[in-house]
Amino acid sequence: MDIEELKAKIPSETVRQYVLDTGWTFTDMQRAALLYHSGLPLEQQCSWLRTVRDKTKDECLRKQITEYLNLKEQGFQAFKENEDRRHIYVLRIKDENEGQYYQIQPQGYFFRWDAAYACGKQSGYPFQIEKCATCDEERASDDNDSSVAALDFSADGKASYLWSREVPFDAERDGSFTYSFYEVPNPFERGDVVRLAGETEDYGIIETSQQHWREALERYKNPKKFPPDYSDVQIRVGFLNEDGTFSHAHINPIALERYHPDDSPMDKLLLCASDLYKGKGSLDELYYFTMEYRQFKEKC
């Protein structure tokens, strides 16, 4: 895997350097799984998956990738079809403060998907186009949800995710590269201070020790007794909240980078929490730095 492919598949600079330093090698299945979970624009993801498919000697993987790519193409084509006007396209712009999509009123409804796309791209923000049935159809679910498909786009208009009832993605199932467990490079130890890779302000402390990680990998060598899936690729991280408390989340190591704290109230709190995870420090110190951090946040 060359450096450009590595950068595209692994957002964390820390993990990329670890891969280079250790000479880590990836199987074709691991490369395909990394691409599927990479968050790359769908066009680039599918292009590189074709490359993996065409070069691999793994016949099972080749069939899985072919099926996945065919279903994606069918999903795109079905999403665009609306000549009978039995569906409408609802445009939603991403609310960066809430991390959710909200509906534009009253201009957010279209009979043509490309008109919705042009309006969404013009906004300059990430957006979603949802395809909804205009009348009761067999494809609508029992809870009266009229949504049959949705396409997510980045701010520059590149498709990033496709969901569809029109063409169910059977390729995304147990045993497929899209859902299977695969070992990822994990250079982090319990107590390390990290942040989410990319332009984020999410900081936290690694909770999963290397010993626990290795023990889990050893168990998964017996898949009949311990059947793992994609969720087992993740490790636990305690993320710092606005009020100075921590909430745990399960994150793939390739999305984390080491963070080097300085002297700010936030960094002092992170270092104190890090010491506690490493068996050092005290709860009194944690309380003190939590109060200091809260006072700092109140002044901001």
Side-chain angles (χ1 to χ4, degrees), residues 170-187:
D170 294 333
E172 297 174 335
R173 61 175 184 265
D174 290 349
S176 167
F177 73 94
T178 62
Y179 197 70
S180 296
F181 172 84
Y182 63 101
E183 185 179 352
V184 297
N186 173 24

Side-chain angles (χ1 to χ4, degrees), residues 49-235:
L49 278 173
R50 290 188 193 96
T51 299
V52 175
R53 178 196 62 186
D54 294 344
K55 292 183 177 180
T56 187
K57 295 180 181 179
D58 185 334
E59 290 296 331
C60 180
L61 177 62
R62 181 179 290 122
K63 291 179 181 178
Q64 288 179 2
I65 295 177
T66 298
E67 182 182 3
Y68 172 78
L69 294 174
N70 288 343
L71 287 171
K72 283 295 181 187
E73 180 60 30
Q74 293 171 29
F76 272 114
Q77 294 306 318
F79 181 84
K80 296 176 182 179
E81 293 174 2
N82 192 35
E83 291 184 4
D84 56 8
R85 293 199 168 193
R86 299 192 67 178
H87 297 84
I88 57 172
Y89 296 99
V90 181
L91 174 65
R92 304 176 189 276
I93 305 297
K94 190 169 187 180
D95 183 344
E96 295 185 330
N97 293 325
E98 298 296 330
Q100 300 293 326
Y101 292 100
Y102 66 86
Q103 189 169 292
I104 295 181
Q105 297 283 347
Q107 304 94 344
Y109 300 90
F110 305 83
F111 277 119
R112 289 170 43 203
W113 88 274
D114 54 346
Y117 173 81
C119 187
K121 188 176 180 180
Q122 189 176 16
S123 73
Y125 292 97
F127 60 98
Q128 179 191 76
I129 301 174
E130 183 182 14
K131 185 178 182 180
C132 300
T134 56
C135 59
D136 292 335
E137 293 186 352
E138 292 182 0
R139 284 176 291 184
S141 65
D142 294 337
D143 60 3
N144 295 321
D145 182 4
S146 63
S147 177
V148 298
L151 256 176
D152 288 4
F153 296 87
S154 60
D156 59 359
K158 294 182 179 179
S160 58
Y161 179 75
L162 170 64
W163 168 85
S164 177
R165 277 192 195 143
E166 298 177 296
V167 181
F169 291 126
D170 294 333
E172 297 174 335
R173 61 175 184 265
D174 290 349
S176 167
F177 73 94
T178 62
Y179 197 70
S180 296
F181 172 84
Y182 63 101
E183 185 179 352
V184 297
N186 173 24
F188 303 108
E189 180 57 276
R190 178 178 170 87
D192 285 352
V193 184
V194 296
R195 64 189 294 272
L196 281 179
E199 298 179 3
T200 70
E201 296 296 328
D202 299 298
Y203 303 90
I205 313 296
I206 297 292
E207 296 182 348
T208 302
S209 68
Q210 279 290 323
Q211 180 179 348
H212 179 86
W213 176 252
R214 288 192 295 270
E215 289 173 351
L217 292 178
E218 193 62 31
R219 287 198 303 272
Y220 298 149
K221 289 180 180 179
N222 186 358
K224 291 184 178 180
K225 187 175 182 180
F226 300 100
D229 59 32
Y230 174 67
S231 64
D232 295 303
V233 178
Q234 303 167 341
I235 59 176

Side-chain angles (χ1 to χ4, degrees), residues 243-291:
D243 63 356
T245 60
F246 289 83
S247 298
H248 88 268
H250 298 265
I251 307 292
N252 191 311
I254 67 173
L256 298 168
E257 294 182 334
R258 278 200 180 85
Y259 176 66
H260 302 285
D262 54 29
D263 254 351
S264 71
M266 180 190 77
D267 289 354
K268 289 178 181 177
L269 177 55
L270 286 169
L271 284 172
C272 180
S274 172
D275 284 342
L276 284 173
Y277 276 106
K278 295 176 181 178
K280 302 183 290 185
S282 69
L283 290 176
D284 287 340
E285 288 179 332
L286 182 67
Y287 176 80
Y288 173 82
F289 287 117
T290 300
M291 293 301 103

